[in-house]
Amino acid sequence: MCGIVGIIGKDNATDILVQGLEKLEYRGYDSAGIFVTGKEQEEYLVKSLGRIADLQNKISPEVQGTVGIGHTRWATHGKPSERNAHPHTSSNRQFILVHNGVIENFEEIKQEFLQTKSLEGETDTEIAVHLIEHFAETGLSTKEAFKKALTVINGSYAFALIDKNDPDTIYVAKNKSPLLIGLGEDFNVICSDAMAMLTETNHFVEIADGEMVIVKADKIVIEDQKGNLVYRESYEAQLDLSDIEKGTYPYYMLKEIDDQPAVMRRIVQEYTNTLGETIIDEKIIETITASDRIYIVACGTSYNAGWVGKALLEKMTNIPVEVHLSSEFGYNMPLLSEKPFFIFLSQSGETADSRQVLVQVNEQGFSSLTLTNVVGSTLSREADYTLLLHAGPEIAVASTKAYTAQIAVLAVLAKAVGDNKRNQFSLDFDIAHELSVIAAVIETIIDEKMLISQLVEEYLTTTRNAFYIGRGVDYYVSMEASLKLKEISYIQAEGFAAGELKHGTIALVEEGTPVFGIITDKKTAAHTRGNLKEVESRGAHNFVIALASLSKETDQFIIPDVHPLLTPLVSVVPTQLIAYFATLQRGYDVDKPRNLAKSVTVE
Ligand code: F6R
């Protein structure tokens, strides 16, 4: 979703901003822009619809300066257009602003304060910059006008503001949207994601909601809402530039699929000792053990991983588990048990839908844990506990390694709580060994890429729609497999409980419709095969992904056997590759599907 970068104190501000915006491309956007100025008060505002490459084409060599801000926009208020792209300027062109988030009361602000102003576009950000100008016109300094505007604005925001009459300062403020300050020698940077500025620094300072920061080349000053000074240590980002580069891979998604064996091994390393025992904070284990129900709350792929987590947790801990969509749960909260425990699954740790649930959970004083890939992310900071996924940065919009990492970490957690409860199934389960087997099996599946590519040519090159079916955990994987396929290849795909298909949806099956059956569970294998026969006799083009011990010679893709509880970690891998090759063969951008954003920071 929208991204912010800023720099103050370096001669090549333009290059740094553009490179930073490139690093944020993966988050999804439809337009971009930069504003650059400097000591001579030269000023350049360049905006473009489309990709950063289009913006770069519009930046002429004289666009230079020592201070600047840049933005990638994912349209919320107002359609994608150059006019609506950020940075936005005030009427007198003195103030230049970029914004991530959503201003909820922008209509009211317009009515109350901005009747006399003429606005160019339809964005809520333009309202904010005009509001700052309005307060400055009453005689307030830029800082005070900005502060006053923040007291009027309701909603989520990360703002970076430049007053072109004072090019020695960038004013920054945040509420609910991520923003960091990066520290350099005689320069400082700002960014909504540390990755954007890793080439400049790996020392960052977090900003808390409600704070304002005055950023100069040689210092930063943080103030809380009451104007008190805040001192905060910087931290070193444990990120390496090579983690965010795709090297020889054509697409990040392929690299991230290939990363999965290494991620499984890293999870074993991080969460188990040499005896194979789990290493998880005792407080987490005790709090879950004392709970009477676990609520998993998540969106999209993380939600799909949550269903597999439910199977693992219930089997090993005997604690009932419910899985909920964040966007529904927050506004239609079910009756909760007496001692609920909340698990938030979020690769990015920034998803606004999940965050609004966590805010309510905190207000009600319930215990919570976030599983996330991003250290220091909002959901991590605001939950009682965090378990990191250790998957390394995931750049492709379509999540792959974060899904398998979430399941693996949930398996370790289930084992830790299960052992604490002396659950026999859990005590017999050697998690370190089983995850190491998983890593090796994923490698063998990845080695079969070319076979999958050929099969995809046969099954998916021209189809408009497709189905994935399965039962139990195979159904859960079907949901994820179909999400993957539809979000990047634009083939309309549905993941269905195999037995439910005949109760209506089978009407959509016609001659040649691809139906992918996932079969990894002994007790349901025969039934799913029966359902596959039903669709075959109605013309479906069946593709079976089966565990070796349950396979038939006619099956299209066979997976070596793994522990029955962990089959989703392997059965999902061919489906990731199916989505990848289908997209490639249709000529779409695998990493940056249309309309989507990597980190969804608006509700
Ligand atoms: C799909 C995908 C999304 C995310 C969802 C939640 O491939 O990545 O469905 O899973 O937007 O994001 P996180 O996990 O960051 O909360």
Side-chain angles (χ1 to χ4, degrees):
M1 215 148 243
C2 305
I4 288 179
V5 287
I7 169 84
I8 185 158
K10 272 204 161 184
D11 287 340
N12 56 340
T14 305
D15 295 342
I16 293 169
L17 292 177
V18 172
Q19 282 160 21
L21 291 179
E22 276 172 345
K23 298 271 177 342
L24 294 179
E25 280 196 287
Y26 79 99
R27 296 171 71 98
Y29 68 105
D30 41 56
S31 53
I34 58 166
F35 174 81
V36 184
T37 183
K39 297 265 175 279
E40 311 302 325
Q41 301 214 341
E42 66 282 13
E43 54 182 91
Y44 305 97
L45 178 65
V46 189
K47 304 204 248 184
S48 167
L49 187 63
R51 301 288 191 199
I52 301 299
D54 300 311
L55 177 71
Q56 245 167 327
N57 287 337
K58 291 182 75 179
I59 298 176
S60 50
E62 73 274 10
V63 180
Q64 295 296 339
T66 54
V67 54
I69 47 180
H71 190 265
T72 46
R73 172 173 189 256
W74 189 86
T76 54
H77 295 65
K79 62 180 194 301
S81 69
E82 203 170 302
R83 206 177 49 168
N84 287 334
H86 304 207
H88 285 288
T89 53
S90 55
S91 304
N92 62 6
R93 309 276 158 206
Q94 181 185 349
F95 300 107
I96 302 93
L97 185 77
V98 290
H99 165 223
N100 285 357
V102 173
I103 298 174
E104 283 156 14
N105 58 339
F106 76 101
E107 286 289 5
E108 291 86 334
I109 293 175
K110 205 164 152 184
Q111 286 304 320
E112 191 174 341
F113 300 100
L114 307 178
Q115 300 262 9
T116 58
K117 304 263 180 211
S118 67
L119 304 173
E120 288 173 8
E122 303 116 285
T123 70
D124 47 346
T125 310
E126 224 192 318
I127 302 284
V129 75
H130 280 87
L131 186 65
I132 296 164
E133 178 186 58
H134 165 79
F135 288 127
E137 283 165 354
T138 66
L140 295 178
S141 67
T142 300
K143 181 180 148 190
E144 292 308 321
F146 187 28
K147 259 191 148 168
K148 179 101 185 186
L150 295 177
T151 62
V152 173
I153 290 169
N154 291 334
S156 57
Y157 54 77
F159 285 126
L161 170 75
I162 291 182
D163 170 355
K164 74 170 191 184
N165 296 336
D166 170 25
D168 289 333
T169 313
I170 303 180
Y171 300 88
V172 163
K174 104 167 209 39
N175 184 42
K176 298 188 206 163
S177 287
L179 198 63
L180 296 167
I181 311 288
L183 306 181
E185 257 182 46
D186 297 327
F187 72 91
N188 287 307
V189 295
I190 58 172
C191 50
S192 50
D193 181 331
M195 279 196 237
M197 284 295 165
L198 271 187
T199 43
E200 305 307 315
T201 180
N202 61 355
H203 285 91
F204 293 92
V205 177
E206 284 176 354
I207 313 171
D209 284 352
E211 288 175 348
M212 175 197 256
V213 191
I214 293 136
V215 185
K216 298 202 176 262
D218 58 351
K219 65 172 180 192
I220 65 163
V221 179
I222 308 176
E223 286 185 15
D224 69 12
Q225 263 160 335
K226 292 184 185 138
N228 302 315
L229 292 183
V230 177
Y231 296 94
R232 187 165 300 128
E233 291 288 321
S234 65
Y235 70 92
E236 197 177 329
Q238 301 297 320
L239 280 170
D240 203 295
L241 262 186
S242 62
D243 290 340
I244 57 168
E245 267 151 20
K246 50 179 193 282
T248 53
Y249 281 92
Y251 287 99
Y252 280 106
M253 184 180 178
L254 192 61
K255 172 179 183 283
E256 289 159 9
I257 292 172
D258 279 8
D259 278 349
Q260 292 176 112
V263 174
M264 292 299 116
R265 294 187 180 111
R266 207 174 305 136
I267 287 170
V268 171
Q269 224 173 35
E270 294 285 340
Y271 288 115
T272 64
N273 63 20
T274 47
L275 300 172
E277 295 159 344
T278 55
I279 315 172
I280 290 206
D281 184 348
E282 278 300 315
K283 288 198 278 270
I284 301 179
I285 299 172
E286 290 302 339
T287 316
I288 299 181
T289 302
S291 71
D292 61 359
R293 189 168 286 255
I294 298 170
Y295 294 83
I296 296 181
V297 182
C299 313
T301 285
S302 298
Y303 169 77
N304 294 338
W307 280 98
V308 180
K310 169 184 163 73
L312 286 157
L313 283 158
E314 287 189 339
K315 182 81 185 170
M316 285 197 262
T317 70
N318 281 334
I319 302 172
V321 181
E322 291 182 20
V323 187
H324 291 274
L325 287 169
S326 313
S327 52
E328 285 297 310
F329 191 88
Y331 299 99
N332 294 293
M333 208 175 272
L335 275 180
L336 298 178
S337 65
E338 274 178 26
K339 285 184 277 173
F341 184 86
F342 285 83
I343 300 181
F344 290 85
L345 297 183
S346 178
Q347 187 281 132
S348 63
E350 299 296 347
T351 304
D353 286 325
S354 299
R355 196 213 177 216
Q356 53 89 11
V357 181
L358 179 53
V359 169
Q360 297 183 54
V361 164
N362 284 342
E363 278 165 7
Q364 297 185 43
F366 298 131
S367 303
S368 59
L369 161 71
T370 292
L371 260 66
T372 181
N373 206 20
V374 183
V375 187
S377 53
T378 306
L379 283 159
S380 160
R381 284 201 312 272
E382 295 183 357
D384 296 330
Y385 310 104
T386 295
L387 291 176
L388 290 174
L389 300 179
H390 297 289
E394 193 180 64
I395 310 282
V397 164
S399 181
T400 51
K401 62 179 178 175
Y403 172 83
T404 43
Q406 282 167 338
I407 293 171
V409 174
L410 283 168
V412 180
L413 179 66
K415 159 84 179 156
V417 178
D419 285 0
N420 195 40
K421 292 187 78 179
R422 311 302 299 162
N423 173 304
Q424 198 51 48
F425 187 91
S426 178
L427 291 170
D428 292 343
F429 182 64
D430 183 346
I431 184 82
H433 169 74
E434 300 302 347
L435 286 178
S436 305
V437 172
I438 294 285
V441 169
I442 296 179
E443 267 161 3
T444 67
I445 297 171
I446 288 170
D447 286 347
E448 298 285 341
K449 277 191 189 92
M450 289 337 291
L451 168 65
I452 293 182
S453 168
Q454 283 158 16
L455 286 165
V456 164
E457 250 177 77
E458 186 190 329
Y459 278 79
L460 290 172
T461 312
T462 54
T463 188
R464 236 171 14 98
N465 53 6
F467 289 96
Y468 270 96
I469 62 169
R471 289 168 179 247
V473 287
D474 295 336
Y475 166 41
Y476 306 153
V477 173
S478 294
M479 299 191 320
E480 172 56 12
S482 65
L483 174 60
K484 218 71 335 173
L485 185 60
K486 73 182 121 188
E487 71 178 321
I488 57 173
S489 76
Y490 315 140
I491 294 170
Q492 185 162 12
E494 255 190 278
F496 238 81
E500 183 63 16
L501 206 60
K502 60 184 174 296
H503 295 289
T505 310
I506 200 167
L508 293 174
V509 173
E510 45 190 45
E511 200 56 40
T513 305
V515 176
F516 295 80
I518 300 180
I519 300 176
T520 71
D521 183 354
K522 201 168 156 198
K523 64 179 185 306
T524 58
H527 282 101
T528 302
R529 284 201 188 274
N531 301 132
L532 281 164
K533 279 275 169 239
E534 287 157 14
V535 290
E536 192 177 47
S537 33
R538 285 157 182 86
H541 194 193
N542 283 349
F543 185 125
V544 180
I545 298 170
L547 216 55
S549 58
L550 303 172
S551 66
K552 297 201 166 170
E553 250 177 53
T554 48
D555 292 345
Q556 279 64 28
F557 197 84
I558 296 170
I559 304 164
D561 279 48
V562 295
H563 190 285
L565 258 192
L566 299 180
T567 57
L569 289 173
V570 291
S571 60
V572 77
V573 179
T575 75
Q576 296 169 339
L577 287 164
I578 287 168
Y580 173 80
F581 284 114
T583 308
L584 215 57
Q585 286 168 17
R586 285 172 177 238
Y588 297 121
D589 185 335
V590 173
D591 287 338
K592 296 184 212 112
R594 68 186 177 210
N595 303 339
L596 295 183
K598 182 67 184 165
S599 173
V600 186
T601 48
V602 293
E603 277 182 42

